[in-house]
Amino acid sequence: AQSVAQPEDQVNVAEGNPLTVKCTYSVSGNPYLFWYVQYPNRGLQFLLKYITGDNLVKGSYGFEAEFNKSQTSFHLKKPSALVSDSALYFCAVRAPTSGTYKYIFGTGTRLKVLA
Amino acid sequence: DVKVTQSSRYLVKRTGEKVFLECVQDMDHENMFWYRQDPGLGLRLIYFSYDVKMKEKGDIPEGYSVSREKKERFSLILESASTNQTSMYLCASSASPFGQGTRLTVV
């Protein structure tokens, strides 16, 4: 079955420290992978995506993610966390179905950056 | 600035009412999606559409239907609202962007 897993419900990190939000996936074929961020009472905002090419993808707000095919992972990272990064983060994969595509989302990871 | 617009931010409806949630995109995307978001469950796909008048069931279509008469508009319909459909509903056009969400409360 095609799926996305975000194993941590919450991640706490001190401001200025590096942060990692984990994501693993299971999908047939070559995956398209995405990260989104959601602030309170808002829709999802796109951060970055991996389709092909360089395994390290850079996105908005200083975030980056590394595609690891052997570990089927796509972890989100930032070298130095800001308090304003505190939000809910979703990983997603585009999966083929019935000749077209749908997007499968993880359950989300709440990031808290502590001042 | 490209965007997806959902017609309402907040809605309160009574059990048994027919509810329409509207979503409009201005990017000429073929694919549009409706999700519901619940704590601990993430985003679950209700329905999606890959072209005008074309639709496909997502993971949780029961109790919902959709309409896509024009490319830019994708409507989610709750035929007879129930309290377990109280949720945040999010519309998306392709992989991005998402609408701002509609928080629906069924009482």
Side-chain angles (χ1 to χ4, degrees):
Chain A
Q2 302 181 108
S3 64
V4 173
Q6 292 181 244
E8 301 154 318
D9 289 338
Q10 182 161 316
V11 170
N12 295 332
V13 63
E15 187 175 30
N17 282 2
L19 69 87
T20 299
V21 182
K22 295 180 181 177
C23 173
T24 58
Y25 66 90
S26 172
V27 65
S28 56
N30 294 319
Y32 288 18
L33 296 156
F34 304 83
W35 275 103
Y36 298 85
V37 59
Q38 185 180 37
Y39 297 100
N41 299 313
R42 302 289 295 277
L44 271 66
Q45 294 179 35
F46 170 81
L47 278 179
L48 53 80
K49 67 181 177 184
Y50 172 82
I51 295 177
T52 187
D54 194 346
N55 290 343
L56 185 64
V57 179
K58 294 188 183 296
S60 305
Y61 313 122
F63 283 93
E64 58 189 27
E66 186 166 13
F67 171 62
N68 187 318
K69 189 172 184 178
S70 63
Q71 297 184 5
T72 61
S73 67
F74 189 55
H75 301 331
L76 182 70
K77 300 182 180 186
K78 188 172 183 181
S80 178
L82 300 172
V83 172
S84 57
D85 293 330
S86 298
L88 188 57
Y89 291 80
F90 289 97
C91 180
V93 63
R94 191 179 84 155
T97 178
S98 304
T100 184
Y101 293 92
K102 66 177 183 179
Y103 296 85
I104 301 171
F105 283 79
T107 51
T109 298
R110 187 164 300 280
L111 173 67
K112 280 195 174 181
V113 181
L114 307 169
Chain B
D1 196 18
V2 295
K3 61 181 184 180
V4 171
T5 303
Q6 293 182 229
S7 53
S8 304
R9 288 294 303 275
Y10 301 96
L11 276 179
V12 180
K13 296 293 182 180
R14 295 195 181 279
T15 300
E17 274 193 81
K18 191 168 186 175
V19 182
F20 293 87
L21 302 182
E22 306 285 346
C23 176
V24 178
Q25 53 109 348
D26 63 0
M27 290 148 291
D28 204 35
H29 285 160
E30 275 79 28
N31 295 331
M32 295 186 75
F33 302 82
W34 273 108
Y35 300 89
R36 63 177 282 176
Q37 181 182 8
D38 300 288
L41 297 176
L43 272 70
R44 293 179 292 167
L45 180 64
I46 304 171
Y47 266 98
F48 66 106
S49 169
Y50 48 93
D51 204 348
V52 174
K53 296 190 186 295
M54 305 302 287
K55 61 185 179 184
E56 189 154 335
K57 292 180 180 179
D59 299 317
I60 52 165
E62 297 78 19
Y64 303 94
S65 63
V66 291
S67 173
R68 184 119 181 250
E69 296 296 318
K70 293 185 178 181
K71 193 174 189 180
E72 67 270 19
R73 187 179 296 271
F74 190 36
S75 303
L76 180 69
I77 304 156
L78 285 66
E79 298 292 342
S80 177
S82 63
T83 55
N84 63 13
Q85 293 178 309
T86 291
S87 187
M88 169 73 92
Y89 289 87
L90 292 164
C91 175
S93 175
S94 191
S96 177
F98 277 73
Q100 78 278 20
T102 298
R103 186 164 293 283
L104 173 67
T105 302
V106 183
V107 297

